[in-house]
């Protein structure tokens, strides 16, 4: 008897929570989804200028394979989850208070259950095991009626859970599970095992009636079946390949697998837990090592070491990684088995591309790609800007999935509020922070991360924090483990190296090269249209051939761009081997790295209705085969040496950032146009001949100057976004070149320059202009930089007139109250969020009228300028002021030919330059 070993076995004493019970039964097949429910903050005060705070409640939806159920609302997410779990258990008729068995009782139960499985009564019931018994009785000779222990360990839920309560490790360790069953069989009076053999059989024969009945149950399809499966060789050097399991009628599929694994008989075939999707029958099959521990008579302590035994066959890294349990030797991945539903053998083909999709799906980036169904185009974005701009699975869900797939606990997300919520002066983003803890199955902390910034909405805090962790994991999991802890700390991510390497030690070897930014280089194909050849190309894209006229509507940061694309695999000679990925509509936010860099770079050079072609080095074969679908099998034999990918892309539609949409929906003409018109009035009134636009962006102001005659002769733009400058050049260049044609309408402009530089740095080439404009720029800098700009521009650049515009924070409630018709998305944004505090996620601040007055008056006074306040959108003197507030500065001192401090710094870089002389020469 086992009494001697009892003290070594620890049983969990703690009362199980509903969630824990659900986890025991369903493991990763139970999926909890938390929803935020907003409750309006009670005393809603219409017309209140300050954003009102809402109380946030949570509701949880628990998805189980059979059904899903939703909880009530709770203030804490944990409570919502427990409540959902409780409701589910009630629905399943499971009692919360489990009567705990003693160890001895558990053993007795195990022995009883095992014996019961070999009774006539069981054999006439419906159970997945019956198919295996049928196969056992079809077998002739000595092996007739013998059932592999591995099958018992795999197919009966009760045996599994009893083994697990005797030794929790048995869940992940099939050897241990088998050893427990062998021991139990030895304790039963009615069934037998024999030394070194992994069979169990009934001592006294089954009744011949039963045997006859089982034998007569022919599978309805008398034909033989072919099951596509995957072989994962133990050696990483050998490729993963497809193989066909041919099971002829009345042949036992386990025998076929045994043959393919080259083992003596099917009792020596080990079976993994299911891998992949919910209630899948996809499992790994591998050969049982000749393991001395698998014979009876070993103590439990010896058994729990089974996996640690150095005498075992070599670990199959890929298969182990894939299944989160130790797999030894060559393995076969197949979806096959008996179910309750039918007497026929259930099977599904496992294709190579299924394998590769599951493989890349274990890494955050790969999983994001899959969620977008765009393996060769999408990338896990680097930033979470707004909920409504995010496409694909949300970061939080991706992180949960990552943890589930790696056999970890659900990560812990905790949000906390810091400081005073209504502190208006803070000027910051809000006061919610999020901490994430990634936990191992043993509840050890593996990674901890706390947001550095605060957020207004708990959901934003969670999504941003989850994204940060995902990005880190995505980059670092292929690094040698020694480098991890130090690297993590730099990014505010605290790694517990010991636990980390325990969980992820196989990652680097399995994912090797594949996650590296594979899309770095691109090869040139065709040339850039000559007109803009003086624009320096941004890093990477040299390979554009753009077709179609430039329509002027091009993507900018924060806009949602919809494209269609086709990616083809091209051979060395430039012939098309295979079309790998096609999408008719693919929408993403520009500026967040939501697509591979070349694609984003390419698109920022394009406008709506244009199409382009570029080529790029192929990513690792894992991605190619995952994308390839049916053709993966033939491609897997191909060397990718010399191959490249060709991308064909068309820009279908561009949705501007929310701020622009809002401004356009509420004001006519749109606010941006009103600002430009305001500036034009001052340009005309002042008879300015030179103008500099500080933070010119894509050149919307400069462009408007070409529409109307003014006294301007020289116009200059400065910005630090090269992308925007390139776009500005593309718009200005053709217009200017046309206007100098004598027949075209004459404009007085003789030169135009675009500079790359920061307007907080002085460049003497821009000293003493007649007019400077700086529209909606300062709020994109940090507040101290805005002050610095104020000082530099008035003390060093010294324009005669300076016009500065910036959003009026007090106007936001008006913008936000007014519903935006026609676009569902806007509605969604409004419903899902509290009033957004800033108009644009890139804004570092938005000032009240008082704050703006303070800034403008202070810098004006310091540098001897006068200042007047005005604005556009709204009416002067009517609350809450203008939508865009404007300050007009005028220099009090006369013009000095030389830069005040004689400083001749020329730090800006010319990005594009045009002069009428140049143009005339060309004519
Ligand atoms: N004035 C333009 C663009 C406004 S968007 C318009 O009204 O359409 C703000 C612009 O300021 C962006 O193009 C951004 O790149 C630029 N910007 C922000 N900080 C800057 C800095 N320190 N120096 C130069 N440009 C800056
Ligand atoms: Mg702005």
């Amino acid at each position: 008897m086992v009494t001697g070993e009892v003290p070594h076995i620890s049983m969990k004493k703690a009362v199980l929570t509903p969630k824990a019970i659900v986890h025991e039964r369903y493991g990763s097949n139970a999926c909890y989804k938390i929803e935020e429910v907003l409750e309006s903050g009670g005393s809603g005060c219409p017309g209140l200028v300050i954003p009102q705070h809402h109380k946030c409640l949570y509701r949880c939806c628990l998805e189980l394979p059979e059904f899903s159920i939703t909880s009530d609302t709770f203030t804490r997410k944990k409570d919502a989850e427990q409540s959902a779990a409780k409701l589910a258990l009630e629905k399943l008729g499971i009692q919360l208070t489990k009567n705990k068995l003693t160890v001895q009782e558990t053993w007795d139960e195990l022995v009883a259950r095992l014996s019961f499985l070999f009774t006539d009564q069981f054999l006439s019931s419906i159970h997945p095991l019956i198919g295996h018994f049928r196969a056992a009785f079809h077998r002739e000779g000595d092996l007739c009626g013998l059932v592999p222990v591995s099958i018992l360990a795999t197919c009966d839920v009760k045996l599994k859970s009893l083994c697990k309560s005797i030794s929790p490790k048995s869940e992940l360790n099939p050897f241990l599970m088998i050893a427990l069953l062998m021991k139990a069989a030895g304790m039963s009076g009615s069934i037998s095992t024999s030394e070194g053999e992994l069979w169990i059989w009934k001592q006294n024969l089954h009744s011949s009636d039963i045997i006859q009945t089982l034998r007569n149950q022919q599978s309805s399809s008398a034909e033989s079946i072919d099951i596509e499966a995957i072989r994962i060789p133990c050696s990483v050097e050998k490729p993963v390949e497809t193989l066909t399991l041919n099971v002829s009628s009345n042949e036992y599929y386990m025998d076929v697998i045994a043959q393919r694994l080259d083992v003596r008989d099917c009792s020596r075939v080990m079976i993994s837990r299911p891998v992949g999707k919910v209630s899948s029958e996809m499992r790994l099959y591998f050969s049982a090592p000749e393991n001395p521990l698998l014979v009876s008579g070993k103590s439990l302590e010896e058994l729990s070491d089974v996996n640690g035994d150095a005498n075992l066959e070599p670990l199959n890294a890929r298969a182990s990684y894939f299944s989160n349990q130790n797999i030894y030797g060559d393995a076969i991945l197949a979806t096959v088995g008996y179910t309750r539903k039918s007497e026929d053998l259930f099977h599904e083909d496992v294709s190579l591309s299924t394998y590769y999709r599951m493989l890349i799906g274990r890494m955050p980036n790969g999983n994001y790609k899959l969620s977008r169904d765009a393996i060769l185009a999408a990338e896990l974005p680097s930033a979470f800007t707004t909920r409504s701009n995010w496409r694909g699975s949300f970061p939080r869900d991706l992180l949960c999935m990552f943890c589930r797939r790696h056999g970890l606990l659900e990560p812990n997300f905790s949000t906390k509020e810091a400081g005073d919520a209504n502190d208006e002066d803070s000027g910051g983003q809000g006061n919610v922070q999020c901490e994430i803890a990634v936990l191992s199955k043993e509840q050890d902390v593996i990674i901890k991360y706390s947001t550095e910034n605060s957020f207004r909405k708990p959901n934003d805090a969670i999504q941003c924090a989850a994204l940060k962790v995902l990005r880190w994991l995505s980059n670092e999991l292929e690094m040698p483990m020694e480098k991890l802890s130090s690297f993590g700390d730099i990014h505010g991510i605290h790694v517990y190296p010991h636990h980390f390497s325990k969980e992820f030690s196989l990652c680097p070897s399995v994912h090797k090269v594949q996650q590296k930014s594979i899309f770095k280089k691109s090869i040139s194909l065709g040339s850039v249209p000559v007109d803009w050849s003086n624009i320096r190309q941004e890093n990477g894209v040299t390979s554009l051939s753009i077709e179609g006229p430039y329509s002027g509507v091009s993507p900018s940061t924060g806009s949602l761009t919809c494209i269609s694309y086709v990616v083809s695999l091209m051979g060395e000679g430039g012939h098309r081997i295979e079309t790998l990925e096609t999408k008719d509509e693919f929408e993403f936010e520009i500026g967040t790295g939501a697509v591979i860099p070349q694609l984003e770079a390419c698109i920022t050079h394009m406008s709506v209705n244009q199409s382009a072609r570029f080529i790029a080095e192929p990513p690792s074969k894992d991605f190619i085969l995952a994308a390839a679908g049916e053709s993966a099998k033939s491609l897997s034999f191909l060397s990718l040496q010399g191959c490249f990918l060709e991308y064909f892309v068309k820009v279908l539609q561009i949705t501007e950032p929310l701020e622009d949409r809002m401004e356009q929906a509420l004001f006519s003409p749109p606010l941006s146009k009103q600002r430009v018109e305001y500036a034009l009035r001052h340009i005309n009134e002042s008879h300015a001949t030179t103008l500099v636009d500080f933070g010119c962006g894509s050149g919307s102001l400069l462009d408007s100057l070409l529409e109307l005659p003014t006294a301007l002769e020289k116009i200059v733009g400065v910005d630090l976004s090269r992308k925007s400058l390139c776009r500005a050049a593309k718009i200005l260049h053709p217009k200017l070149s046309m206007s100098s044609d004598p027949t075209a309408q004459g404009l007085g402009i003789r030169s135009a320059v675009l500079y790359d530089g920061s307007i907080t740095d002085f460049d003497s080439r821009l000293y003493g202009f007649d007019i400077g404009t700086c529209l909606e720029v300062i709020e994109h800098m940090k507040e101290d930089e805005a002050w610095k700009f104020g000082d530099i521009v008035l003390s060093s650049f010294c324009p005669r007139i300076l016009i500065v515009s910036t959003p009026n924070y007090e106007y936001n409630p008006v913008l936000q109250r007014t519903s935006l018709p026609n676009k569902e998305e806007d509605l969604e944004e409004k419903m899902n969020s509290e009033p957004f505090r800033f108009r644009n996620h890139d804004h570092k601040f938005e000032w009240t009228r008082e704050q703006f007055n303070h800034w403008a008056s202070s810098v004006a006074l310091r540098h001897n300028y006068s200042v007047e306040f005005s604005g556009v959108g709204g009416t002067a003197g009517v609350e809450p002021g203008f939508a865009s507030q404007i300050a007009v500065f005028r220099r009090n001192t006369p013009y000095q030919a030389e830069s005040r401090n004689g400083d001749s710094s020329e730090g800006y870089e010319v990005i594009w330059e045009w002069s009428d002389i140049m143009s005339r020469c060309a004519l």
Side-chain angles (χ1 to χ4, degrees):
M1 283 307 272
V2 284
T3 35
E5 290 156 19
V6 170
H8 301 296
I9 308 154
S10 72
M11 299 269 292
K12 268 193 212 147
K13 281 272 147 49
V15 179
L16 291 176
T17 62
K19 216 181 147 183
I21 296 174
V22 167
H23 183 77
E24 249 186 34
R25 293 181 67 96
Y26 291 98
S28 59
N29 293 341
C31 176
Y32 294 84
K33 293 199 169 140
I34 293 279
E35 290 168 33
E36 282 180 31
V37 187
L38 288 175
E39 252 201 1
S40 52
S43 59
C45 171
L48 189 67
V49 176
I50 296 156
Q52 288 159 267
H53 283 267
H54 294 257
K55 197 170 160 194
C56 196
L57 295 176
Y58 299 100
R59 183 161 53 210
C60 176
C61 174
L62 170 57
E63 289 171 8
L64 296 176
E66 300 92 330
F67 61 86
S68 21
I69 203 157
T70 304
S71 74
D72 275 345
T73 54
F74 292 86
T75 47
R76 297 195 319 171
K77 290 177 196 172
K78 280 183 193 156
D79 296 340
E81 288 180 352
Q82 291 294 0
S83 160
K86 195 162 164 235
L87 292 172
L89 291 176
E90 276 166 21
K91 190 161 172 178
L92 287 164
I94 295 168
Q95 297 209 323
L96 274 178
T97 46
K98 281 215 303 190
N99 27 357
K100 279 271 157 194
L101 299 175
T102 65
V103 180
Q104 184 57 58
E105 284 166 344
T106 314
W107 271 107
D108 292 347
E109 282 266 312
L110 183 63
V111 173
R113 174 69 187 174
L114 197 54
S115 312
F116 172 71
L117 295 179
F118 286 80
T119 60
D120 292 355
Q121 189 195 344
F122 176 75
L123 290 185
S124 35
S125 68
I126 292 174
H127 191 281
L129 272 175
I130 303 296
H132 298 275
F133 276 98
R134 203 186 312 136
F137 288 120
H138 271 293
R139 217 182 281 127
E140 303 294 333
D142 285 352
L143 298 182
C144 179
L146 272 55
V147 180
V149 191
S150 59
I151 283 294
L152 294 165
T154 306
C155 297
D156 188 57
V157 184
K158 288 216 180 82
L159 287 181
K160 274 193 270 191
S161 75
L162 288 165
C163 285
K164 197 184 157 194
S165 47
I166 291 172
S167 173
K169 281 187 186 167
S170 67
E171 194 190 7
L172 282 174
N173 183 341
F175 304 107
L176 177 53
M177 171 93 180
I178 284 174
L180 291 172
L181 291 181
M182 299 279 284
K183 201 174 189 65
M187 288 155 66
S188 155
S190 61
I191 52 176
S192 301
T193 63
S194 63
E195 193 74 14
E197 295 287 336
L198 302 177
W199 300 105
I200 294 183
W201 68 91
K202 187 173 159 64
Q203 274 166 7
N204 311 311
L205 284 180
H206 289 273
S207 80
S208 50
D209 285 358
I210 284 290
I211 298 176
Q212 212 43 53
T213 321
L214 286 174
R215 279 197 173 146
N216 290 344
Q217 286 171 358
Q218 285 277 347
S219 97
S220 58
S221 59
E223 303 283 295
S224 73
I225 46 173
D226 282 344
I227 306 170
E228 291 285 312
I230 300 288
R231 179 193 297 279
I232 306 176
C234 186
S235 153
V236 195
E237 307 305 318
K238 293 192 192 152
V240 171
E241 57 192 15
T242 52
L243 102 178
T244 307
L245 301 173
N246 180 272
V247 187
S248 59
S249 60
N250 283 326
E251 196 177 7
Y252 187 28
Y253 75 89
M254 285 290 286
D255 288 334
V256 176
I257 293 177
Q259 283 160 23
R260 304 306 292 265
L261 285 173
D262 239 353
V263 294
R264 195 162 70 225
D265 58 56
C266 70
S267 75
R268 306 211 64 89
V269 173
M270 305 293 284
I271 309 171
S272 77
R273 290 183 308 157
V275 287
K277 278 209 240 49
V278 177
S279 63
S280 127
E281 275 301 313
M282 191 191 284
R283 295 170 189 271
L284 285 155
Y285 297 83
F286 57 109
S287 61
E290 295 294 339
N291 190 327
L293 292 169
L294 288 182
V295 301
S296 50
K298 291 284 169 183
S299 77
L300 270 177
E301 295 136 293
E302 286 174 287
L303 291 178
S304 11
D305 270 353
V306 166
N307 274 355
D309 192 334
N311 292 332
L312 287 175
E313 280 197 53
L315 191 73
N316 183 324
R318 285 178 294 197
S320 303
Y321 173 72
F322 207 73
S323 60
N324 294 324
Q325 70 181 61
N326 288 353
I327 307 286
Y328 300 91
D330 293 347
I332 289 174
L333 178 69
T335 302
V336 58
Y338 292 103
T339 62
R340 273 172 203 281
K341 290 181 197 118
S342 155
E343 281 172 9
D344 291 342
L345 188 61
F346 167 79
H347 64 95
E348 267 170 15
D349 291 344
V350 181
S351 69
L352 258 191
S353 103
T354 309
Y355 167 80
Y356 282 106
R357 291 171 84 91
M358 287 174 69
L359 184 68
I360 66 169
R362 296 175 67 88
M363 295 298 265
N365 190 27
N367 195 25
Y368 178 76
K369 285 165 172 284
L370 290 172
S371 82
R372 299 236 50 198
D373 192 24
I375 294 169
L376 300 174
E379 287 274 293
L380 180 65
S382 60
F384 180 88
T385 58
T386 64
R387 209 186 139 95
S388 61
N389 278 10
W390 185 268
R391 296 291 178 275
S393 297
F394 281 98
R396 184 201 159 117
D397 299 336
L398 289 168
L399 185 60
C400 290
M401 213 162 342
F402 176 87
C403 291
R404 240 175 279 146
R405 289 187 178 162
H406 287 269
L408 309 176
L409 289 187
E410 196 86 340
N412 224 328
F413 299 89
S414 54
T415 51
K416 63 170 194 288
E417 297 207 3
D420 179 5
N422 289 318
D423 184 358
E424 255 219 73
D425 296 334
S426 68
Q429 301 263 306
N431 63 342
V432 185
Q433 293 191 319
C434 175
E435 187 182 90
I436 293 183
V438 175
L439 305 166
S440 74
K441 237 195 176 96
E442 292 78 36
Q443 308 222 330
D444 294 320
V445 180
I446 302 173
I447 298 170
K448 229 185 200 147
Y449 171 71
S450 293
T451 48
E452 294 138 48
N453 304 326
S454 301
F455 298 81
R456 276 183 315 112
K457 292 178 259 168
N459 184 50
D460 285 354
I462 289 172
Q463 301 297 0
C464 288
L467 181 57
K468 182 95 179 184
V469 174
L470 286 168
R471 302 258 320 163
W472 184 85
L473 284 166
S474 194
N475 288 331
E476 302 317 316
L477 272 179
E478 62 192 293
M479 293 236 295
M481 288 292 158
E482 312 84 73
K483 292 193 182 165
L484 283 167
S485 61
S486 59
F487 197 89
D489 277 345
I490 300 171
H491 287 69
I493 287 173
H494 192 77
V495 185
Y496 296 77
H498 177 66
H499 296 137
F500 189 90
S501 49
K502 195 170 136 220
E503 300 295 336
F504 297 115
S505 55
L506 291 177
C507 270
S509 64
V510 174
H511 284 287
K512 275 188 285 195
V513 285
Q514 81 168 30
Q515 292 284 327
K516 272 274 166 281
S517 196
I518 24 178
F519 291 104
K520 255 181 223 143
K521 271 190 269 167
S522 58
I523 315 154
S524 167
L525 182 113
S527 60
V528 181
V530 276
D531 259 6
W532 316 315
S533 51
N534 45 355
I535 301 172
R536 307 249 248 83
Q537 292 301 313
E538 279 165 273
N539 16 344
V541 218
T542 48
S543 51
L544 291 180
S545 65
I546 297 176
E547 290 154 31
Y550 190 72
S551 67
V553 187
S554 50
S556 58
T557 300
S559 65
L560 288 172
T561 299
C562 187
I563 61 170
S564 65
Y565 70 82
V566 179
V567 188
S568 311
L569 182 65
M570 312 292 274
E572 210 164 352
H575 62 285
R576 186 176 318 267
I577 297 173
E578 191 80 49
T579 300
L580 294 175
E581 197 168 280
T582 311
K583 262 185 126 46
D584 296 336
E585 273 184 21
F586 181 78
E587 196 177 46
F588 65 98
E589 181 180 356
I590 297 276
T592 57
V595 291
I596 60 161
Q598 290 96 325
L599 186 54
E600 177 148 348
C602 170
I603 284 165
T604 53
H605 288 274
M606 296 168 67
S607 63
V608 170
N609 285 330
Q610 282 188 316
S611 53
R613 223 174 264 283
F614 66 90
I615 61 179
E617 255 186 287
S620 87
K621 213 165 176 175
D622 296 355
F623 286 97
I624 302 277
L625 296 180
E630 290 292 294
S631 47
K633 196 170 167 181
S634 56
L635 291 182
S636 70
F637 298 114
L638 206 79
S639 148
L640 293 182
Q641 196 70 41
C643 289
F644 56 90
L645 296 183
E646 184 198 72
Y647 286 74
F648 173 79
V649 52
K650 179 163 188 190
V651 179
L652 304 176
Q653 199 195 332
I654 293 166
T655 313
E656 281 162 66
L658 194 63
E659 180 185 20
D660 301 353
R661 275 181 275 158
M662 228 156 46
E663 291 192 351
Q664 272 164 28
L666 288 177
F667 300 96
S668 171
L671 213 52
S672 53
K673 190 129 195 259
Q674 293 191 38
R675 280 191 289 265
V676 168
E677 281 168 2
Y678 185 93
L680 273 172
R681 266 205 310 283
H682 280 270
I683 291 162
N684 282 326
E685 281 166 18
S686 65
H687 305 289
T689 59
T690 52
L691 172 137
V692 48
D693 189 19
F694 294 105
C696 62
S698 318
S700 55
L701 174 70
L702 300 175
D703 181 30
S704 316
L705 300 177
L706 307 184
E707 303 288 333
L708 298 164
T710 61
L712 290 173
E713 289 170 9
K714 175 174 184 151
I715 57 173
V716 170
V718 193
D719 205 292
L720 41 64
S721 157
R722 285 193 170 223
K723 260 185 211 159
S724 303
L725 290 168
C726 282
R727 224 173 283 131
K730 283 186 202 174
I731 294 168
L732 299 177
H733 198 97
K735 283 199 180 180
L736 280 166
S737 305
M738 215 150 67
S739 70
S740 64
D741 178 340
T743 58
Q745 178 205 2
L747 282 175
I749 294 174
R750 324 206 101 142
S751 85
V753 191
L754 293 174
Y755 290 104
D756 178 3
S758 171
I759 56 173
T760 53
D761 298 329
F762 178 58
D763 185 297
S764 55
R765 288 169 291 187
L766 303 188
Y767 167 74
F769 275 47
D770 289 337
I771 195 158
T773 48
C774 181
L775 305 183
E776 306 292 293
V777 175
I778 56 171
E779 73 276 6
H780 292 263
M781 312 180 197
K782 294 198 184 109
E783 277 186 281
D784 56 337
E785 287 170 340
W787 282 92
K788 188 176 172 203
F789 167 68
D791 282 329
I792 298 261
V793 68
L794 299 186
S795 71
S796 302
F797 287 110
C798 306
R800 184 149 60 82
I801 298 172
L802 175 72
I803 302 175
V804 178
S805 86
T806 192
N808 169 13
Y809 176 68
E810 295 163 277
Y811 200 86
N812 287 2
V814 181
L815 290 178
Q816 287 147 8
R817 243 193 335 261
T818 321
S819 64
L820 297 169
N822 68 41
K823 288 245 164 71
E824 267 172 60
E825 216 173 289
D826 302 324
L827 212 66
E828 187 205 349
E829 170 78 6
K830 288 182 86 65
M831 311 233 300
N832 285 329
S833 62
E834 303 167 48
F836 13 75
R837 185 173 165 126
F838 291 156
R839 299 179 193 181
N840 178 320
H841 73 266
D842 193 43
H843 287 178
K844 305 294 184 300
F845 63 82
E846 282 175 13
W847 279 339
T848 60
R849 282 167 289 175
E850 194 189 323
Q851 288 171 310
F852 184 54
N853 278 24
H854 173 60
W855 172 80
S857 310
S858 308
V859 292
L861 188 69
R862 274 211 281 275
H863 305 294
N864 202 9
Y865 273 73
S866 66
V867 61
E868 276 168 30
F869 294 94
S870 171
V872 293
T875 319
V878 175
E879 286 300 309
F882 291 105
S884 255
Q885 44 186 345
I886 298 180
V888 181
F889 299 85
R890 281 170 217 279
R891 196 174 62 211
N892 292 334
T893 50
Y895 176 73
Q896 291 168 303
E898 282 303 310
S899 166
R900 211 165 274 201
N901 33 24
D903 186 350
S904 64
S905 51
E906 296 191 353
Y908 292 175
E909 191 181 342
V910 177
I911 285 295
W912 166 85
E913 195 166 12
W914 177 90
S915 81
D916 66 339
I917 302 165
M918 225 165 70
S919 240
R920 285 208 194 97
C921 292
L923 274 175

